[in-house]
Structure formats: C-alpha cells, structure tokens
Amino acid sequence: MSQIKVSLEPTQIDFLNNFPAFGFKDRSAMIRSAIDQLQAKLVHQQLQESAALYAELYEEEDEVHFLAESALEGWPE
C-alpha cells in the first residue's frame, strides 16, 4: 500500500486516535473507510446533478422529448 503525508488539525488527530471505539484496527483503516465513504457520496452527488441537468434539458427542449419518445417505440411497457 502507498503512503502519503497529510496535515491534520489537533481535533482530527484526537478523533482518529479513538479508532478502536469505532471498530477499526488502526487509524489508517479508519481513514481509508472515510475516503471510501466520501468517494461514494461524491459519485452519488455527481449522478444526481447529472440526472437533474438531463431532466431540465428534457423539460425545456421539444427535440429531446421527440428523441426520447422515438427511442422508446417498439419497447415493451
């Protein structure tokens, strides 16, 4: 595994030092879990924003309505 150096606030270090209370084997495991959760949250947020933009485009553009409806022709309901 690769290592990096990061700077943390004292309160963040205190929090990390309580890793056993949260069920982690060490601080690194706790940080990896936090990064994984942040990554999933950010990806989900990007998907929601993209879906909102597509929905807005769909509502505003008649041509997009036509393309979407024509793409659905022949598909079972």
Side-chain angles (χ1 to χ4, degrees):
M1 233 180 268
S2 298
Q3 294 184 352
I4 63 168
K5 181 179 177 179
V6 296
S7 299
L8 301 172
E9 299 291 332
T11 55
Q12 294 168 325
I13 293 171
D14 291 341
F15 178 72
L16 282 174
N17 285 333
N18 287 319
F19 65 87
F22 298 102
F24 294 97
K25 68 176 186 163
D26 56 29
R27 290 177 291 199
S28 292
M30 191 171 175
I31 291 170
R32 285 191 300 272
S33 176
I35 291 172
D36 288 345
Q37 290 179 37
L38 176 60
Q39 182 180 19
K41 180 181 176 180
L42 292 174
V43 167
H44 181 74
Q45 181 179 340
Q46 285 177 328
L47 288 172
Q48 285 183 316
E49 290 171 2
S50 176
L53 288 172
Y54 276 111
E56 183 179 327
L57 178 66
Y58 183 79
E59 289 299 318
E60 293 176 356
E61 298 290 332
D62 290 335
E63 186 176 328
V64 175
H65 263 281
F66 173 76
L67 289 172
E69 294 299 322
S70 65
L72 291 174
E73 286 180 19
W75 283 85
E77 291 187 32

